[in-house]
Amino acid sequence: MLEKGLSARSAATVAAGNTAAAMGSGDLAVFATPAMVALMENAAMTAVAGELPEGATTVGSEMNVTHIKPSGLGAEITATAVLAEVEGRKLTFNVGARDAEGLIGEGIHIRYIVDREKFMAKVK
């Protein structure tokens, strides 16, 4: 059963492949915003995965975040997602990311519960 408060964490180390320069979102060797968003999404997906019916998964539909501080090569990043609201198939998460020095980003993420087979049948 999906209940408010379910949470999970995902972690990554800033490396050449997840910098803004490598991902094309900027030209500096700092943790890329798209990499931070992906880490937050992974935490949200993981938070509820064990409580979903067989054959179901979640898909991201909306992300509203701020990336407020850069993190350089070698920094350890941890993203956290906490389920804040359940409205039928719609799940709303509070998400945040931190490095050793503190908060680097935060926001709201919305995911929907879908049936894997039905969802993939729509993909052409």
Side-chain angles (χ1 to χ4, degrees):
M1 173 111 181
L2 294 175
E3 294 184 12
K4 292 180 185 180
L6 289 173
S7 66
R9 293 176 187 255
S10 293
T13 301
V14 181
N18 60 12
T19 63
M23 297 187 81
S25 63
D27 61 4
L28 299 173
V30 295
F31 196 51
T33 300
M36 181 187 75
V37 167
L39 203 59
M40 291 170 164
E41 281 201 89
N42 183 267
M45 176 192 70
T46 302
V48 297
E51 302 297 322
L52 297 174
E54 187 171 334
T57 190
T58 60
V59 294
S61 68
E62 185 177 334
M63 180 67 82
N64 183 357
V65 297
T66 57
H67 192 171
I68 57 177
K69 180 188 159 306
S71 301
L73 291 171
E76 295 291 329
I77 310 297
T78 302
T80 304
V82 179
L83 183 59
E85 194 169 338
V86 179
E87 298 175 70
R89 296 183 319 112
K90 180 182 178 183
L91 308 176
T92 303
F93 297 85
N94 292 325
V95 293
R98 304 180 81 78
D99 65 13
E101 296 179 17
L103 188 69
I104 66 164
E106 63 185 344
I108 303 292
H109 176 44
I110 296 173
R111 300 185 72 78
Y112 282 87
I113 301 169
V114 299
D115 179 274
R116 290 173 184 272
E117 287 186 22
K118 288 180 185 176
F119 187 85
M120 292 306 294
K122 296 177 186 177
V123 177
K124 296 182 184 194

